[in-house]
Amino acid sequence: MFLGTYTPRMDDKGRLILPAKYREELAEGLVLTRGQERCIYVFSAEEFQNVHRQMRQAPLTSRQARDYIRVFLSGASDEVPDKQGRVTIPPGLREYAGLDREVTVIGAGDRAEIWDTAAWNAYLEEKESEFSSTDEEAIPGLF
């Protein structure tokens, strides 16, 4: 499970050092792809297979499902971290998420997310107040 918030720096070659707590799970390979809110989703190769299996259940007759799957998969890139735990983020994904040197990596349970630090801080500031007043309907049965 991916947890926590980290602030590694991206180098000039678009490489990012993965948080130490994530390296073991991602050592054999990972998939980077477009995420909602202009972040990059990071899945272990195994979890990405699970996500893809779920996508295949969507009806081909659904235009919204086809559109989502096209955008999601066309931006995907399978990567293997180097010996130092670095992963290269492809230019198209860096552009999509507006990434520069200052990035924030967050754990989101079954995936990690890579955000531009300013975008993450703005998102978190906006959503923290909503979080404190969230009722049971958001995630039924959680609390």
Side-chain angles (χ1 to χ4, degrees), residues 47-115:
E47 183 60 29
F48 192 78
Q49 291 296 324
N50 294 334
V51 170
H52 184 250
R53 263 193 289 290
Q54 289 176 316
M55 287 180 164
R56 289 175 44 194
Q57 302 304 313
L60 286 175
T61 55
S62 168
R63 178 180 293 276
Q64 187 176 17
R66 289 192 315 269
D67 291 345
Y68 184 88
I69 291 167
R70 286 177 184 138
V71 171
F72 188 80
L73 294 178
S74 68
S77 177
D78 53 340
E79 305 289 336
V80 176
D82 66 15
K83 288 179 175 31
Q84 288 80 39
R86 297 177 301 191
V87 64
T88 300
I89 301 172
L93 287 175
R94 290 195 311 257
E95 184 178 327
Y96 170 79
L99 300 182
D100 202 9
R101 294 184 69 78
E102 303 296 324
V103 299
T104 298
V105 178
I106 67 159
D110 62 350
R111 69 182 182 276
E113 296 178 355
I114 303 171
W115 289 73

